[in-house]
Amino acid sequence: MSNKITVLRDTQPDVLLDATQWEKLSGDPHTVNLNAYQSEDGSKLMGTWICTPGKWAVNYTKWEYCDFREGYCILTPEGGEPIHLKAGDIFVVEPGFQGTWEVVETVRKYFVFA
């Protein structure tokens, strides 16, 4: 077994504009993905996500760790109560989450998909 460490301070992230595949429901949201790391098999991804206000229908097939650095959004599970998230919040979205993701104030978050 080899131990690998990837130090991200010197990486140049892959920049993807409006790469979100979710269905837009309202507003004119735009996204910037700064993908700083992807595993060799493509199953793990981490970076920074920036998004302007708007709303999507979402259906998670992967686990996501989120660390909100700026902004405010509302995640609403299908048939559930809205969850209000703001700068400073850290949370996990489990595979199988379905509902809506609404960016109310431009969001900047660190993310890890696995």
Side-chain angles (χ1 to χ4, degrees), residues 72-91:
Y72 167 58
C73 75
I74 303 167
L75 272 68
T76 305
E78 218 170 59
E81 294 297 316
I83 301 164
H84 297 261
L85 299 159
K86 61 188 182 330
D89 286 341
I90 297 172
F91 60 97

Side-chain angles (χ1 to χ4, degrees), residues 92-103:
V92 170
V93 181
E94 298 285 346
F97 174 83
Q98 294 181 359
T100 60
W101 182 302
E102 180 179 6
V103 174

Side-chain angles (χ1 to χ4, degrees), residues 45-64:
L45 180 69
M46 69 82 51
T48 301
W49 185 70
I50 302 163
C51 183
T52 60
K55 187 175 186 178
W56 287 273
V58 297
N59 181 1
Y60 272 74
T61 59
K62 288 188 162 193
W63 176 95
E64 182 185 16

Side-chain angles (χ1 to χ4, degrees), residues 3-76:
N3 290 327
K4 294 184 178 182
I5 296 175
T6 302
V7 179
L8 300 175
R9 88 173 67 93
D10 298 325
T11 62
Q12 296 296 318
D14 292 330
V15 179
L16 301 173
L17 302 177
D18 292 325
T20 301
Q21 297 178 5
W22 297 334
E23 176 191 356
K24 288 182 188 179
L25 298 176
S26 64
D28 186 28
H30 294 280
T31 63
V32 177
N33 280 51
L34 302 170
N35 295 339
Y37 171 83
Q38 185 170 355
S39 62
E40 287 181 22
D41 67 0
S43 67
K44 295 171 187 66
L45 180 69
M46 69 82 51
T48 301
W49 185 70
I50 302 163
C51 183
T52 60
K55 187 175 186 178
W56 287 273
V58 297
N59 181 1
Y60 272 74
T61 59
K62 288 188 162 193
W63 176 95
E64 182 185 16
Y65 164 88
C66 300
D67 181 349
F68 264 37
R69 309 311 293 164
E70 298 174 16
Y72 167 58
C73 75
I74 303 167
L75 272 68
T76 305

